[in-house]
Amino acid sequence: MSSPSLGEIVSLNTFGTRMIVLGTHEAAVELLEKRSSIYSDRNMTPTAELAGFDWLIAMMRYGPRWRKIRAVFHKCMNPNMIVQYRYLLRLVENPAKFYQHGRHLIGAIIIRVAYGIKVVGENDKYIKIAEDAMDAFNIVFQPGRYLVQTFPSLRHIPPWFPGAKFGREFADWFPIVQKIHEVPWETAIAERLKGNTPASIVSTLMDRAEGPEDEQAAKGAAANAYIAGADTTLSTLQTFFAAMASNPLIQKCAQNALDTIVGPDRLPTMEDKPDLPYITAIVKECLRWRSVVPLSVPHMAIQEDEYKGYRIPVGSLVISNTWAYSRDTKYYPEPETFKPERFLLDSGELNPDVLDPAEMAFGYGRRICPGRFFAEASLFTVISSILHTFDISAPLDKEGKPMKLNVNMTNGVVSYPEPFECIIRPRSASAEALVRASASG
Ligand code: HEM
């Protein structure tokens, strides 16, 4: 393994694969965005196919199939989604399980948007199917776990061959992964045949479908929403809870803004967003403070290139180091401090001159996250609803003082805050009444 550092980029040679880590946001923009005709391929296709994930947009080779399914997906990611007010009620009734409630909420929103299926109960079968597939995803794509990621030719060895354990494991996951592709789709199509066509990705795409190829693209697009969108959005929601529990003054400032703009009689909606720049700044700071996809998803070069005198061979994996960019003091002084004010002018408006962390958190160029507006809208609605109705604080130590929360992130393609506790209570009796009234509506 060699690792020459070339200032802005670091190059590693791992088992014959050249990996190039871009050291700055500018380098990522220059290569992955401005030269995106070269850097938009992926290298994970064999692993994805073996485990049954051949419909995952994020892992597809750059080409006509990717282009078609991505285009249809992009068109129907409508940020105007429904908040599940039952979630707030669950926070009232069992606040200690805030992680499970969040996971259920995000899953329910995405299944509704993708298939038009309404998830209600905690033990919903669609949520279970989606979570099982997500568990498989997290294992299959764990960096370095399987040599087949590095040596695609290994896919052709028989499963009994020493070292071919992955083949047996992948065979176990295959039916689990298939379920998320098949089961909710079959339900949505059965409902459609009965004339039930609630607004969803499936409805929009099937209305326009002109043949089996379009129908397959619709099916793939819908299945992508959960795998790509659920744990990523949930990770940021968890970061939000940790940040609020550690920063009571920031929380109070957000609540004051909500009290002024929204008032006590209703919950905030996306329509309030232009009047709530402080909440938008909190969402941005959550995305910056703890990167969800710290090394993004590698882009593969399809032709040889040159950057600042350095040769980038064809087949190189080019990695944007989001974690480092979001700590670049040129853009973000005191990067470890959670500070939404960094995005605001003295007048309280958003400052257009501060680099938006969404510019890096969602990747670059032709492979940029197609769910980014949807994710930001979901996070705004959920976070503003929580702040409007709840106080979040750190657990108390033996002396009754708030404990300091250390928010460490897990390793993996998608990174999450490690489990932590916090205290979540309705802000007042009237806030609790509002939550109960909204849940029964
Ligand atoms: C906080 C939430 C999210 C974060 C931080 C995030 C981040 C990312 C990143 C870094 C990439 C790779 C971009 C690149 O290769 O340059 C990506 C790809 C992708 N994301 Fe997201 N994402 C989020 C939410 C979502 C949501 C809600 C959806 C859909 C419902 C979604 C769908 C996708 C898809 C389909 C891809 C693959 C794009 C391709 O390879 O062409 N993401 N996301």
Side-chain angles (χ1 to χ4, degrees):
M1 202 189 270
S2 62
S3 58
S5 170
L6 293 131
E8 279 197 22
I9 63 178
V10 172
S11 167
L12 308 163
N13 195 343
T14 320
F15 301 118
T17 303
R18 174 133 326 254
M19 291 210 238
I20 292 170
V21 185
L22 304 173
T24 60
H25 169 68
E26 290 76 11
V29 171
E30 175 59 38
L31 296 190
L32 306 182
E33 251 168 57
K34 297 199 181 146
R35 304 187 200 174
S36 62
S37 59
I38 300 178
Y39 295 101
S40 295
D41 206 1
R42 298 276 204 227
N43 76 324
M44 302 293 282
T45 319
T47 324
E49 283 172 359
L50 281 171
F53 278 119
D54 60 331
W55 41 269
L56 264 190
I57 303 174
M59 304 303 165
M60 277 179 200
R61 298 294 308 265
Y62 182 59
R65 185 164 171 254
W66 165 80
R67 195 169 289 116
K68 170 146 190 124
I69 185 167
R70 184 175 159 114
V72 295
F73 186 82
H74 195 66
K75 271 189 212 131
C76 16
M77 286 316 299
N78 182 353
N80 297 321
M81 31 66 67
I82 316 107
V83 186
Q84 300 258 325
Y85 296 122
R86 278 202 165 270
Y87 165 69
L88 300 177
L89 186 59
R90 289 191 184 114
L91 282 183
V92 170
E93 290 175 344
N94 195 348
K97 286 177 89 178
F98 69 100
Y99 168 75
Q100 285 85 343
H101 301 326
R103 196 167 183 194
H104 189 273
L105 166 77
I106 307 283
I109 292 173
I110 291 181
I111 288 172
R112 178 83 171 253
V113 168
Y115 297 98
I117 296 174
K118 205 168 170 181
V119 167
V120 189
E122 286 196 34
N123 302 316
D124 182 86
K125 87 166 179 181
Y126 301 102
I127 294 273
K128 169 89 178 90
I129 287 171
E131 288 185 350
D132 288 349
M134 196 68 227
D135 291 343
F137 173 92
N138 283 330
I139 295 173
V140 169
F141 296 107
Q142 198 180 332
R145 182 175 174 117
Y146 293 113
L147 275 181
V148 67
Q149 287 169 355
T150 319
F151 302 112
S153 58
L154 275 181
R155 66 181 302 186
H156 299 302
I157 59 171
W160 45 263
F161 195 80
K165 194 165 129 251
F166 72 86
R168 294 192 294 277
E169 291 183 2
F170 282 20
D172 289 344
W173 283 315
F174 200 88
I176 294 171
V177 173
Q178 283 305 297
K179 275 193 182 168
I180 181 75
H181 195 219
E182 304 293 335
V183 177
W185 166 260
E186 281 162 12
T187 305
I189 294 301
E191 287 299 316
R192 190 175 168 79
L193 290 174
K194 286 190 233 157
N196 299 334
T197 51
S200 68
I201 294 186
V202 170
S203 284
T204 313
L205 296 182
M206 289 302 285
D207 286 348
R208 295 188 210 145
E210 287 176 1
E213 207 192 315
D214 289 348
E215 288 178 16
Q216 278 309 308
K219 186 172 175 183
N224 267 278
Y226 188 93
I227 297 297
D231 276 19
T232 42
T233 312
L234 177 61
S235 169
T236 307
L237 182 60
Q238 286 294 101
T239 294
F240 158 77
F241 277 111
M244 290 304 105
S246 316
N247 295 283
L249 292 178
I250 290 174
Q251 191 177 173
K252 194 74 219 135
C253 207
Q255 290 172 333
N256 288 343
L258 284 157
D259 290 346
T260 311
I261 301 296
V262 180
D265 302 327
R266 65 176 182 93
L267 289 167
T269 68
M270 273 301 281
E271 281 168 20
D272 299 309
K273 191 165 184 275
D275 300 320
L276 291 168
Y278 198 78
I279 311 284
T280 303
I282 288 182
V283 175
K284 287 187 190 304
E285 185 66 341
C286 288
L287 283 169
R288 184 202 69 80
W289 192 52
R290 290 293 181 264
S291 299
V292 177
V293 198
L295 292 175
S296 192
V297 183
H299 290 219
M300 188 164 74
I302 54 170
Q303 73 182 56
E304 185 175 313
D305 193 21
E306 196 229 274
Y307 179 65
K308 298 202 169 171
Y310 178 67
R311 191 178 74 87
I312 298 175
V314 61
S316 299
L317 297 184
V318 181
I319 296 170
S320 50
N321 188 351
T322 314
W323 176 264
Y325 313 160
S326 55
R327 280 163 172 67
D328 188 336
T329 49
K330 182 163 54 154
Y331 302 117
Y332 309 118
E334 297 177 64
E336 295 308 325
T337 309
F338 186 89
K339 198 171 161 192
E341 289 78 8
R342 68 175 81 245
F343 299 108
L344 299 171
L345 296 163
D346 289 344
S347 63
E349 297 296 301
L350 286 168
N351 184 346
D353 295 335
V354 180
L355 180 64
D356 185 344
E359 302 272 319
M360 48 190 77
F362 295 107
Y364 297 87
R366 296 185 192 179
R367 302 300 294 231
I368 194 170
C369 175
R372 60 196 185 281
F373 301 119
F374 179 79
E376 284 191 277
S378 313
L379 287 165
F380 175 86
T381 322
V382 174
I383 283 175
S384 57
S385 300
I386 298 170
L387 284 168
H388 196 45
T389 45
F390 292 92
D391 284 325
I392 303 158
S393 52
L396 303 179
D397 64 16
K398 284 186 199 126
E399 283 146 29
K401 292 205 200 92
M403 282 163 43
K404 187 171 163 13
L405 292 181
N406 287 321
V407 191
N408 296 319
M409 301 294 277
T410 60
N411 295 324
V413 179
V414 178
S415 186
Y416 319 90
E418 284 174 359
F420 62 92
E421 287 176 19
C422 62
I423 301 172
I424 302 170
R425 285 197 203 97
R427 284 178 68 195
S428 61
S430 58
E432 182 174 336
L434 176 61
V435 167
R436 291 189 184 280
S438 317
S440 63

